[in-house]
Amino acid sequence: MSVVAESLSWQAGGRQILQDVSLRAEPGETLGLIGPNGSGKSSLLRLLAGLRRPGAGRVEIDGQDIARLSRRDMALRVALVQQQSTTEANVTARDVVRLGRTPHRGALAGWTAADEEAVAQALAGVGMQHAATRIWRTLSGGERQRIQIARALAQKPSVLFLDEPTNHLDIEHQIAILRLVRDLRLTSVVALHDLNHAATFCDRIVVLQKGRHIAAGTPDEVLTEDMLARVFSVAGRVRPSPYRPGPEIHFLVDAPEA
C-alpha cells in the first residue's frame, strides 16, 4: 500500500509543529524520516497513523483518505511502534504481542490457531521466543522495544510506522531490527537518528527541520555534506560505501562547527 501526505500542518499549545509537509511512500518501500530533535518526526508519524488530525492537509493510504476510515479499518491496515510503552499490569511478553491480533478478532471470537501462529512468528522475527513468558516489567528497555515491534508484526499490517525503533537497543539488535523491517517489504515509514542506518536500510529519505520538509530522495541524493552542515550543524565527509550501495558518512568531530 502507498502512503501519501499532502500539505500537512499541525499545531499544539499555540506552536506550529508541522507546516506544509508532503511525502509519498511507495508500496513495499522503506521511507526514512531524519532531522534534528524537535523537527517534527514523531508528530508526523502520529498524523500518518491517524492518531492525530491535521490542522490542514490530508493523508491517504492506498488512495483512501484516512479521515474516512474507522479505527478498526485503520488497525487492519497500519501498525505504529512508538518510542516507549509502559504498563504496570502483570502481563507477559506474549500477552503484549497477542494484543496485535485484536483488530482481526470479533467481540465474541475465540483465540484461533492462526492467531497463535501469528504471535509465534512475530516473536521469532524479533528473536524473543525465549522471553515469551517473562513478565513485562522485568524486561530491559531494549527487550521491551523488540516486543513492541513483535506486537506490530502480529497485527499483520500492510503499512508499518516506527518511531526511533532502535532506541535502547545494542548495535547487534539495531541492525537486526532494521534488516527485519527492510526485508518484510511492507510499506514502512521509520524515524531514525542514525544517518548511516538511514543510508543502509532506507530506499528513500525525507529530511525535516523545524517542522518543514527540507529534502527528499534516495540516500545518495539526500545525504550530502552540505545537508549535514545546513540541517544538522555538523561537519562530515560523505563517500560511497565500500560494503553496500549508497553513501557512508564520517563525522569530523574535531572540525570547526559548521
Side-chain angles (χ1 to χ4, degrees):
M1 291 186 176
S2 63
V3 178
V4 178
E6 297 179 351
S7 303
L8 291 182
S9 294
W10 186 70
Q11 290 186 346
R15 185 167 68 92
Q16 193 74 41
I17 307 299
L18 293 166
Q19 187 167 347
D20 196 29
V21 174
S22 298
L23 60 78
R24 182 181 185 92
E26 300 292 349
E29 179 178 61
T30 299
L31 179 69
L33 302 179
I34 64 173
N37 287 341
S39 59
K41 301 185 296 295
S42 296
S43 296
L44 178 56
L45 283 174
R46 288 172 175 80
L47 291 175
L48 296 176
L51 298 185
R52 292 173 176 165
R53 296 269 181 163
R58 58 189 277 158
V59 177
E60 292 185 353
I61 292 180
D62 204 28
Q64 292 185 282
D65 187 339
I66 67 170
R68 300 179 180 177
L69 296 175
S70 69
R71 287 184 177 274
R72 185 172 186 271
D73 285 339
M74 280 293 289
L76 288 170
R77 289 169 169 80
V78 309
L80 171 65
V81 178
Q82 303 193 65
Q83 289 188 38
Q84 294 183 345
S85 181
T86 60
T87 179
E88 297 303 318
N90 194 35
V91 296
T92 67
R94 181 182 282 114
D95 292 332
V96 173
V97 179
R98 284 167 65 107
L99 292 174
R101 300 303 299 163
T102 301
H104 298 272
R105 303 171 62 234
L108 301 178
W111 191 254
T112 68
D115 293 324
E116 194 62 38
E117 178 64 17
V119 169
Q121 288 178 353
L123 284 165
V126 299
M128 288 293 284
Q129 312 97 304
H130 66 283
T133 59
R134 286 180 56 189
I135 299 300
W136 171 261
R137 64 175 178 271
T138 70
L139 299 175
S140 69
E143 288 170 331
R144 291 183 184 189
Q145 188 73 343
R146 290 158 67 191
I147 289 297
Q148 287 299 325
I149 293 171
R151 176 198 55 76
L153 296 180
Q155 197 172 323
K156 297 292 186 182
S158 298
V159 178
L160 189 59
F161 298 119
L162 303 105
D163 190 2
E164 302 290 353
T166 56
N167 271 5
H168 311 297
L169 299 182
D170 56 47
I171 187 63
E172 176 189 2
H173 290 111
Q174 289 178 26
I175 292 171
I177 288 297
L178 291 174
R179 183 183 290 122
L180 170 67
V181 171
R182 180 196 63 192
D183 292 348
L184 287 171
R185 304 316 300 174
L186 298 175
T187 307
S188 300
V189 183
V190 51
L192 292 168
H193 268 308
D194 190 308
L195 302 186
N196 279 305
H197 282 170
T200 302
F201 294 103
C202 297
D203 299 301
R204 290 189 307 115
I205 296 171
V206 171
V207 183
L208 298 176
Q209 184 181 33
K210 296 180 180 178
R212 293 179 177 272
H213 177 286
I214 300 299
T218 66
D220 280 315
E221 294 167 338
V222 168
L223 297 174
T224 65
E225 293 173 10
D226 177 66
M227 187 277 292
L228 294 177
R230 287 189 300 109
V231 176
F232 291 92
S233 300
V234 296
R237 294 290 177 263
V238 180
R239 301 287 185 266
S241 172
Y243 308 108
R244 53 169 171 75
E248 187 171 272
I249 300 170
H250 300 271
F251 296 103
L252 306 180
V253 295
D254 295 324
E257 291 189 5

